[in-house]
Amino acid sequence: MGKVLFMGKVPISNKHLDKKVRKSFDYVFVDFDEEKLKHELEVQDISLIVVYLTGIPQESKGELARILHDISTVPFILTGIRDDLHKYFGRTEARVLRYIKTPLLFSEFISEIKRILNKVDQQNIDIEQLYEMESKVIVEKTEPKHILIVDDDPVVLRSISNMLKGLFKVSVVTSGYAALTFLDNEKPDLILLDYQMPVCDGLQTLKMMRSQEALKDIPVFFLTGVNDSQMVKDAISLHPQDYILKSAGMEHLLEKIEHYF
């Protein structure tokens, strides 16, 4: 099986990408750079190129269309937000095999690439037939899951938000009271709730949620920096979906979220 070449800024850490992808297929990664792309195509057995449009400067996207058009020997997948995909859909003359809209669960993203890669590598399939079957289709499975992050630490908020925003719809608030106000208008698919916050901590916030019919069933992950047995008992009594130590790291948190969904 040939390799997949990822081009652009993939919205996930290299460590997590490697852990998830190596189980499915081999890959290489290059930034948006025509010379690097051509070099990899010369020295590697590349079967499929996946271009992640988010993060590529607007002024460079016209150049990208030319690069796609000039490389005709390897099929492309374009992935990115709806607006970018619709700008390319029907406009670029490149041989784009598939359009994948993000945000999308990373597991779904990898499954879709693996499915197409398997077709590309089939010895008995003509590449022209593959284009007929796959080309000009935008993958839109489900709307991205909505995650609300509640934490009074701006560094934690920024770190978690940056990790998740390419995969999920993300909202942030800095207090328990702000979370309850937010929930008056929107119901996220999951709340990441800091345990230790001033005035109204995570435990009080979840107690108030559980007391309201409209909010009691919203899934909650407790996040805490302290491994205290009594805190764990108090939290578990309110039946959160998970209880996660911040010290376990961002990769652990992302795995827990993906597993939950």
Side-chain angles (χ1 to χ4, degrees):
M1 179 182 289
K3 294 182 179 180
V4 175
L5 185 147
F6 287 97
M7 182 180 181
K9 189 177 180 181
V10 179
I12 195 163
S13 74
N14 287 341
K15 180 180 176 182
H16 191 69
L17 179 68
D18 192 72
K19 184 176 180 181
K20 293 289 186 182
V21 175
R22 292 290 181 197
K23 297 177 181 178
S24 301
F25 49 79
D26 200 5
Y27 78 97
V28 294
F29 176 80
V30 297
D31 293 326
F32 175 63
D33 186 300
E34 183 175 7
E35 293 306 314
K36 289 181 181 178
L37 174 61
K38 289 181 177 179
H39 173 74
E40 293 296 340
L41 290 175
E42 289 176 1
V43 301
Q44 305 267 14
D45 178 22
I46 305 297
S47 293
L48 184 65
I49 299 172
V50 179
V51 180
Y52 195 80
L53 295 171
T54 303
I56 295 178
Q58 281 299 131
E59 61 271 17
S60 300
K61 287 177 179 173
E63 180 70 5
L64 175 60
R66 182 191 60 77
I67 294 172
L68 298 182
H69 181 260
D70 289 348
I71 297 176
S72 58
T73 56
V74 181
F76 282 85
I77 292 174
L78 288 183
T79 178
I81 62 174
R82 175 188 291 271
D83 287 349
D84 275 341
L85 290 176
H86 279 281
K87 287 176 184 176
Y88 281 93
F89 185 69
R91 287 183 55 188
T92 180
E93 297 177 0
R95 302 286 297 280
V96 180
L97 193 64
R98 195 75 160 167
Y99 296 84
I100 301 178
K101 184 177 77 70
T102 58
L104 185 70
L105 276 178
F106 194 65
S107 55
E108 292 183 352
F109 178 61
I110 294 304
S111 294
E112 185 66 18
I113 293 173
K114 184 179 179 182
R115 184 191 68 77
I116 295 173
L117 182 63
N118 286 336
K119 282 193 174 184
V120 170
D121 280 334
Q122 287 176 16
Q123 297 299 316
N124 61 347
I125 190 168
D126 184 89
I127 194 68
E128 296 300 330
Q129 289 179 311
L130 191 60
Y131 274 106
E132 286 296 319
M133 289 187 292
E134 298 288 341
S135 186
K136 305 303 184 185
V137 176
I138 296 182
V139 175
E140 297 186 72
K141 296 202 173 180
T142 56
E143 284 300 307
K145 300 295 186 181
H146 183 188
I147 297 178
L148 172 65
I149 309 169
V150 187
D151 201 303
D152 64 315
D153 185 336
V155 175
V156 172
L157 278 179
R158 184 166 58 251
S159 297
I160 298 177
S161 178
N162 286 342
M163 177 183 68
L164 299 180
K165 66 183 180 182
L167 305 171
F168 306 96
K169 177 182 176 182
V170 177
S171 300
V172 299
V173 294
T174 58
S175 72
Y177 287 129
L180 294 168
T181 300
F182 179 92
L183 295 173
D184 284 339
N185 300 306
E186 291 197 56
K187 302 299 184 288
D189 298 293
L190 177 65
I191 298 175
L192 304 181
L193 180 60
D194 184 27
Y195 195 112
Q196 295 173 295
M197 294 182 292
V199 186
C200 182
D201 64 17
L203 198 65
Q204 292 171 300
T205 303
L206 188 52
K207 282 181 180 178
M208 287 187 278
M209 287 176 56
R210 294 293 189 246
S211 69
Q212 299 182 44
E213 188 66 30
L215 307 181
K216 68 178 184 179
D217 294 326
I218 298 176
V220 171
F221 282 11
F222 263 125
L223 303 181
T224 179
V226 180
N227 188 10
D228 179 89
S229 59
Q230 187 57 51
M231 287 175 61
V232 173
K233 289 178 182 178
D234 292 341
I236 296 303
S237 69
L238 295 175
H239 307 292
Q241 275 58 43
D242 215 327
Y243 186 94
I244 301 172
L245 288 173
K246 293 179 181 178
S247 58
M250 292 295 172
E251 302 295 338
H252 177 72
L253 174 59
L254 181 56
E255 286 185 1
K256 287 279 193 177
I257 293 170
E258 287 199 327
H259 178 73
Y260 173 75
F261 284 133

